[in-house]
Amino acid sequence: MTEHQPLTLRLPTPGCYADPDRSGLTADDVFDGMTEHLFYTLGKLAPSASRHDLYMALSYAVRDRLMTRYLAGIEAIVASPARVVAYLSAEFLVGPQLGNNLLMLGIREEAAEALRRFGINDFEDILEVEEEPGLGNGGLGRLAACFLESLASLEIPATGYGIRYEFGIFDQLIRDGWQVEITDKWLKGGWPWEIPHPDQACFVGFGGHTENYRDTNGCLRVRWVPEETAIGVPHDVPVLGYRVNTCDRLRLWRAEATETFDFYAFNIGDYYGAVEEKVGSENLSKVLYPNDGTDEGRRLRLKQQHFFVSCSLQDMLRSLEVRAIPIQEFPSHWAVQLNDTHPAIAVAELMRLLLDEKHLEWEEAWRITSQSLSYTNHTLLPEALEKWGIELFGSLLPRHLQLIYEINRRFIQQVRLRYPGDNEILRRVSIIDEDGPKAVRMAHLATVASHHVNGVAKLHSSLVKTQLFPDFAALWPEKFTNVTNGVTPRRWVALSNPLLSGLITEAIGEGWIRDFSRIQELEAFSGDAGFLERWGATKLAVKHHLANYIHRHTGVLVDPASMFDVQVKRIHEYKRQHLNALQVIALYLRIKNGTAGGEAPRTVIFGGKAAPGYYMAKLIIRFLSAIAETVNADPDMQGRLRVIFLPNYNVKLGEKVYPAADLSEQISTAGKEASGTGNMKFAMNGALTIGTLDGANVEIRERVGAANFFLFGKTTEDLADLHERGYRPWELVNDIAELPEVLRLVEQGHFSSGDTDLFRPLLQNLTGRDPFFVLADFDAYLKAQAAVSQAWSDPGGWNRMALLNVARSGYFSSDRSVDEYAEKIWRAHPFPVRISCELD
C-alpha cells in the first residue's frame, strides 16, 4: 500500500497538545493523573473514592494520553490533506474502552501499579465496573468497531459516523425461561471516552414540501421546506491504533430539539406540549433499532437513518469548506463506505446537498456522489434488504423521493438502451418496487450509485452476484468485488486472552500483535509435545475463569475439564440454535438409555439476543432454557452433560467466552450467513469449528485445513436442488435414527413440565415447512459430532489441531480486510504522524 511521507508536527506549547503532565506513560504519571481527576473532575478524595470513581479517574487519565495523538491527527489532515475514510454505520459495537486503550498505549502494567497505590490489587475489579456501550447489537456493529481499530493501527485517517444511542438495544434477562427486555441504561454513570462538540452541530429536516424557484443566475432550483427540524450534536470517541500516533475518531450524533421548551404552552398549563418538540426530536437517538412492526416504529427508523446520514455528510462538506477546498474535490478527500443498507439514504441526501445547497448541476453532483460512495452488502435475507413504502418515504423526505425518482429515470433509460424491449429486466432492477404497494428499494439505490459493491466472504460475494443482484452484476461486473471480513486480534486475543497471548509471545515474540500474519510462525511448535501440553494447560486455566463466571451468574457448576461446546450469536432460525438443541437432546437420550459410549463430557453453552418482535427466536430461547433446566437437574447427567444459557450476551461477555471455547458451533443454513465473525474469533483463540459450508466457514476451512475442521451439511447447491424437487421434512423424520425419539420427547412435554402446547409451534415449523433445513442436516450433524468426540479423546491431537487453527488464522485479521478495502475500494493510504514536543 502506498504511504504518505510521515508528517512531523512540532507542538509549540505544553498546554496545546502535549502537556508533559498529561502525556507521560509511567505508573507515577498515571497515578498523578488519576489523583488530579479524582479531585478536580469528580470532586472526590482518594480515601472516599468508590470503584466507579477510580474507574472514571483512570479513564480520564488515559483519555488525556489519547488527546495528543487525537488532536495531532486532526491538525495533520489540515496541514497536508489526505483521503479520509468515512465509515457510515447504524451500529458500532465498540465494547469496553479502558482495557483496550491501555493495550494500545502499552501501559496496562503501569495502570495496575497506579491502582495498587489506591488499594486495588485486582485490576479486573476496575475493568468490570465499565458498562458495555449500547451502540450496537451484533456482527454488523462489531465489524465496524474492528475496522475502526484496524484503520487506526494501519495509520489510515478515518471517521466512523453513527448515532449516540441513549439506551442502546436492550439488556436481556431470562425469567421463567423467556427473554425479557429491559432498558439498557449504559450512560447512567457517565461515559468518560466521549468529547461533545456542540459548536459543530447540524440541522436536519423532516416532512414539509418542496418549492421551485430561480436563483440569481436564472437557473431553476428546488427548495425543501421541512415541517420539522432536529439538531445533531456530535460526540467524538478517540480510536487509537496499536502503538502508533494515529488516533482516528468515532463521531456519534445525539439528537436535540431546535426549541427545547415552549414557555407559552407551559404557562397555559400544557405541560406536555411545553416539551413535546424536545421529546419528539430526542427520540431519534434514544434506542437502536426501534421495533418496525408498527407504522410509528418504521417512521422512527427511517428518521434515524436520515438523521445520522445527513449530519455526517454535512460534516464532511463543512470539513472542505473550512479548509477552502473546492466542493468538486469531495471524492479526493472522502471515501464514504455504506455499511449495509441502513445509510443508503446517503445517495439522495448527498445529491440534495450538492444540488440544492451547493447549487451544482446534476451531472457534476452525480459524478461526486458516484465517485465517493461504496456499499457493503451484509445479507441475502429479504427482510434485511430495506424497502420503504412510497407514502411513508414521501411524507418524511419529499425532496429525496423526487431525487430518487430522477435517479431511477436516468438509470432505467441506461438499462433500456442496453436491453431494448426487455421490460422484465426494467422491473427487476428499478429502484422503485412496483410489484405490490410502491416502495423504494434501498439496496438497489446503493448499488446504482456506488462505485463498488462488495460482499463479505467469497461465497457470499458470489451469491450477491448470482442470486441477489445478477442483473446489476451483468450491467457493471467491474463494480462487484469481495472483501472477506476480519476481526482485530488486539481485542480478541491480546486483550481477551492474556494467558494464551503470553504463551504465544514467549514462543514467537510480540510482533504478531501488530502484524497478525506472523502468527503463522506458531505452526513450528505443532509437533512439540511439551509445548502442546502447556497449550492444553493454558486453555484449562482460561476455562476455569469462565466456569467461575457461569457459577456466579447462573448457579450451575460446570467442569472445566469437559469440552466447552459453544454457540453464541444473535438468535435467528437461520443460525439454527434449534439444530444444536436437538443434538443435545439426542445426547441426553443416549446417556439416559445407556448407549452413550465414547461420548465426550460436554458443557454446551448458548448465548444471544432475539429481536423483541421475533416470536420464533424467542421461543428458541425458551426451548434452550427448558433443555438446560431439565438436563442440569438430572443426576444421570452428572459429569456427562451440562447446558448453559448465558443471559445478555455482549462484547464484555464475549471476551470471556471466546478464549474458553473448545468447539465453535457455526451451523447456519448454507447460503444464509454472509460471513460471520464469531467463527474467526473462536479460531484465533484455538477453538475447533464444527460447521457448514456457509459464509466465511468456507475460507476458514481452506486456511486451517480440512483435517482441523468438522464439516457437515448440505451445500447451497444441494439445498437449491432439494427446494426445487420439493422439500417435505415430515418424510425425513422416520428415516433418521434418533430423530423420532428426540421429537417425541419434546412433543410429550418432557422439557416443559408436561405442557404439550408450549413448543408445538417450533415442532410444527420443523416438521411442516422447516424453512432452514434443520431436519435435512440433522443426521450429518450427529455424525460430525461423533467425530468431535473421537478427536477429543486424544488430548495431544486436539491441542495440535487447536494450535494449527490459531497459527493459520492470520488471514482473518481485520487489518487484512481494511488493507484490501483501502487498495481496491477506498484508494486510501497510510498517513503516519510523528509528534515532536520540542519548543521552537
Side-chain angles (χ1 to χ4, degrees):
M1 188 188 297
T2 307
E3 186 175 292
H4 289 278
Q5 289 299 311
L7 182 69
T8 300
L9 290 184
R10 294 188 178 276
L11 307 177
T13 60
C16 183
Y17 302 120
D19 187 337
D21 293 333
R22 295 197 172 203
S23 59
L25 301 179
T26 67
D28 288 342
D29 295 324
V30 176
F31 175 79
D32 290 344
M34 288 183 66
T35 303
E36 179 179 323
H37 279 293
L38 275 174
F39 192 89
Y40 291 106
T41 306
L42 301 173
K44 293 290 182 71
L45 295 173
S48 61
S50 67
R51 276 172 163 69
H52 184 267
D53 295 331
L54 293 173
Y55 157 73
M56 293 291 284
L58 177 56
S59 296
Y60 281 125
V62 172
R63 196 186 78 173
D64 288 346
R65 281 137 187 85
L66 304 185
M67 286 298 98
T68 300
R69 297 157 178 83
Y70 171 72
L71 293 172
I74 292 173
E75 290 302 305
I77 296 297
V78 172
S80 180
R83 198 168 207 227
V84 178
V85 175
Y87 201 84
L88 271 61
S89 180
E91 298 183 39
F92 286 93
L93 195 58
V94 295
Q97 294 295 287
L98 176 57
N100 198 65
N101 282 321
L102 291 172
L103 175 68
M104 298 294 132
L105 289 167
I107 58 169
R108 180 185 170 95
E109 287 307 314
E110 289 77 4
E113 169 59 28
L115 285 169
R116 282 192 285 271
R117 300 181 191 180
F118 287 100
I120 303 297
N121 293 316
D122 188 347
F123 189 40
E124 294 297 321
D125 286 350
I126 298 302
L127 294 180
E128 282 298 315
V129 170
E130 185 167 6
E131 288 281 343
E132 172 94 9
L135 300 172
N137 176 37
L140 184 79
R142 188 51 235 171
L143 181 80
C146 283
F147 278 8
L148 281 188
E149 193 262 71
S150 282
L151 280 160
S153 293
L154 293 174
E155 302 183 282
I156 297 173
T159 295
Y161 283 109
I163 297 177
R164 181 186 180 270
Y165 300 104
E166 184 177 347
F167 296 121
I169 184 164
F170 60 84
D171 278 342
Q172 179 195 58
L173 298 179
I174 302 298
R175 289 181 182 159
D176 299 322
W178 291 99
Q179 170 179 291
V180 176
E181 302 94 22
I182 62 172
T183 305
D184 176 13
K185 300 178 181 178
W186 69 278
L187 283 167
K188 64 181 182 293
W191 198 38
W193 304 104
E194 63 180 355
I195 307 158
H197 291 287
D199 57 310
Q200 297 176 33
C202 298
F203 288 82
V204 182
F206 303 98
H209 62 278
T210 61
E211 299 173 346
N212 295 327
Y213 72 100
R214 292 193 179 275
D215 63 18
T216 54
N217 296 319
C219 297
L220 186 64
R221 298 287 180 188
V222 178
R223 178 189 297 116
W224 178 26
V225 184
E227 181 181 8
E228 59 176 299
T229 305
I231 299 173
V233 179
H235 291 243
D236 287 358
V237 182
V239 181
L240 182 62
Y242 181 72
R243 310 292 172 88
V244 294
N245 289 327
T246 299
C247 188
D248 290 333
R249 67 177 177 178
L250 171 59
R251 172 155 280 197
L252 302 169
W253 299 97
R254 177 175 57 83
E256 284 187 356
T258 52
E259 187 64 51
T260 59
F261 188 78
D262 185 335
F263 197 76
Y264 174 75
F266 184 85
N267 275 346
I268 63 173
D270 183 5
Y271 302 126
Y272 175 76
V275 294
E276 184 176 9
E277 182 180 346
K278 171 182 170 66
V279 172
S281 295
E282 293 181 0
N283 279 341
L284 291 171
S285 56
K286 287 289 184 187
V287 177
L288 168 66
Y289 297 149
N291 189 344
D292 58 2
T294 66
D295 289 342
E296 282 306 308
R298 285 188 290 274
R299 188 177 185 86
L300 177 56
R301 188 176 286 205
L302 179 56
K303 289 179 75 172
Q304 281 186 328
Q305 293 177 5
H306 173 60
F307 165 72
F308 96 84
V309 165
S310 179
C311 287
S312 304
L313 291 171
Q314 291 182 57
D315 192 53
M316 293 177 226
L317 290 169
R318 178 172 56 198
S319 77
L320 300 186
E321 292 172 4
V322 299
R323 292 180 286 165
I325 296 173
I327 217 75
Q328 290 80 1
E329 295 181 20
F330 186 93
S332 299
H333 295 273
W334 287 101
V336 184
Q337 186 69 39
L338 309 179
N339 192 30
D340 219 358
T341 54
H342 308 117
I345 191 62
V347 177
E349 175 64 0
L350 183 54
M351 287 294 289
R352 184 192 72 82
L353 291 168
L354 295 173
L355 291 168
D356 299 352
E357 304 293 331
K358 305 304 177 185
H359 293 174
L360 299 184
E361 297 304 315
W362 183 278
E363 288 74 15
E364 182 70 357
W366 184 250
R367 178 193 67 80
I368 292 171
T369 299
S370 59
Q371 288 182 3
S372 303
L373 302 182
S374 49
Y375 161 52
T376 299
N377 172 274
H378 281 278
T379 183
L380 303 172
L381 298 177
E383 64 266 26
L385 296 173
E386 291 181 312
K387 294 195 297 185
W388 297 107
I390 292 294
E391 184 176 347
L392 169 63
F393 198 99
S395 68
L396 271 181
L397 303 170
R399 177 55 175 151
H400 300 73
L401 185 58
Q402 289 179 351
L403 292 168
I404 289 170
Y405 272 126
E406 179 60 17
I407 292 168
N408 195 49
R409 184 190 69 80
R410 291 171 181 245
F411 165 60
I412 289 296
Q413 183 59 22
Q414 292 179 31
V415 181
R416 188 177 286 117
L417 294 175
R418 177 81 173 267
Y419 301 100
D422 189 347
N423 290 329
E424 184 60 23
I425 193 173
L426 301 183
R427 181 190 65 81
R428 292 196 303 266
V429 302
S430 174
I431 297 170
I432 307 299
D433 183 1
E434 300 189 48
D435 287 345
K438 283 188 176 182
V440 181
R441 295 163 160 162
M442 301 307 286
H444 285 210
L445 177 64
T447 301
V448 169
S450 296
H451 56 81
H452 280 87
V453 176
N454 74 281
V456 290
K458 282 201 299 188
L459 175 62
H460 173 243
S461 295
S462 174
L463 294 174
V464 165
K465 291 190 289 185
T466 58
Q467 292 186 11
L468 189 63
F469 298 137
D471 297 315
F472 291 104
L475 276 170
W476 301 305
E478 72 283 355
K479 269 193 183 190
F480 289 82
T481 189
N482 172 63
V483 181
T484 299
N485 282 346
V487 299
T488 170
R490 264 83 60 181
R491 179 178 287 275
W492 293 114
V493 184
L495 178 64
S496 302
N497 201 343
L499 293 180
L500 179 62
S501 298
L503 182 62
I504 294 172
T505 297
E506 181 184 329
I508 65 173
E510 64 178 14
W512 64 273
I513 303 176
R514 182 187 299 275
D515 177 7
F516 199 58
S517 67
R518 292 186 57 185
I519 199 69
Q520 65 187 345
E521 297 170 20
L522 193 62
E523 190 162 346
F525 295 85
S526 63
D528 185 331
F531 188 81
L532 291 176
E533 188 174 339
R534 293 180 63 198
W535 183 278
T538 299
K539 172 66 81 172
L540 183 61
V542 174
K543 291 168 69 177
H544 272 282
H545 292 313
L546 181 59
N548 290 335
Y549 176 91
I550 290 171
H551 185 233
R552 288 198 309 272
H553 289 82
T554 70
V556 180
L557 286 169
V558 300
D559 181 7
S562 66
M563 180 197 302
F564 279 15
D565 177 351
V566 184
Q567 187 176 17
V568 287
K569 53 184 72 226
R570 181 167 52 94
I571 308 297
H572 197 290
E573 289 171 273
Y574 87 83
K575 294 178 184 288
R576 302 201 297 189
Q577 285 91 352
H578 46 340
L579 172 59
N580 193 350
L582 295 179
Q583 179 268 148
V584 170
I585 295 173
L587 177 56
Y588 170 78
L589 282 168
R590 277 183 237 129
I591 296 172
K592 294 293 287 184
N593 296 335
T595 60
E599 298 288 353
R602 294 192 189 220
T603 298
V604 184
I605 300 171
F606 295 94
K609 297 178 181 179
Y614 189 176
Y615 169 74
M616 191 58 71
K618 296 178 87 167
L619 185 61
I620 288 172
I621 291 178
R622 181 66 183 89
F623 189 42
L624 299 174
S625 299
I627 294 170
E629 184 178 353
T630 302
V631 167
N632 297 339
D634 192 328
D636 291 341
M637 300 300 115
Q638 185 68 36
R640 307 290 294 278
L641 180 64
R642 283 286 181 267
V643 180
I644 304 295
F645 188 92
L646 291 173
N648 205 39
Y649 186 74
N650 54 21
V651 173
K652 199 170 181 177
L653 184 49
E655 291 176 354
K656 296 177 174 64
V657 172
Y658 289 115
D662 294 304
L663 185 68
S664 164
E665 297 272 356
Q666 306 299 327
I667 60 177
S668 53
T669 309
K672 297 299 182 183
E673 187 75 81
S675 169
T677 52
N679 46 10
M680 303 171 187
K681 296 164 196 165
F682 280 119
M684 285 182 178
N685 281 281
L688 306 188
T689 302
I690 181 170
T692 54
L693 287 177
D694 192 30
N697 288 356
V698 177
E699 290 156 271
I700 289 175
R701 183 170 180 265
E702 289 174 355
R703 299 279 171 173
V704 306
N708 305 305
F709 186 108
F710 300 99
L711 177 67
F712 78 96
K714 292 182 170 17
T715 65
T716 53
E717 294 80 10
D718 294 335
L719 294 177
D721 180 63
L722 183 57
H723 180 74
E724 184 69 25
R725 289 188 285 110
Y727 177 46
R728 293 176 287 277
W730 58 90
E731 295 181 354
L732 296 177
V733 174
N734 292 320
D735 294 336
I736 301 174
E738 301 187 75
L739 183 57
E741 191 178 3
V742 166
L743 296 179
R744 192 179 308 116
L745 200 64
V746 179
E747 187 177 22
Q748 292 172 349
H750 184 77
F751 300 101
S752 50
S753 302
D755 185 346
T756 58
D757 292 326
L758 180 58
F759 299 123
R760 190 185 304 277
L762 182 60
L763 292 174
Q764 289 175 338
N765 180 270
L766 289 173
T767 59
R769 294 176 54 243
D770 193 15
F772 297 100
F773 301 97
V774 170
L775 300 190
D777 277 345
F778 182 72
D779 189 49
Y781 184 46
L782 291 190
K783 290 181 172 65
Q785 290 285 10
V788 169
S789 287
Q790 180 63 35
W792 181 260
S793 67
D794 175 13
W798 185 279
N799 289 337
R800 181 179 184 278
M801 295 165 72
L803 181 147
L804 290 175
N805 266 262
V806 176
R808 297 173 181 176
S809 64
Y811 179 79
F812 301 103
S813 168
S814 49
D815 293 354
R816 188 270 315 153
S817 301
V818 164
D819 201 43
E820 288 188 19
Y821 273 102
E823 284 287 342
K824 296 197 295 189
I825 297 176
W826 300 331
R827 303 186 305 281
H829 308 292
F831 190 75
V833 175
R834 294 175 184 161
I835 299 173
S836 171
C837 295
E838 298 172 8
L839 299 180
D840 290 335

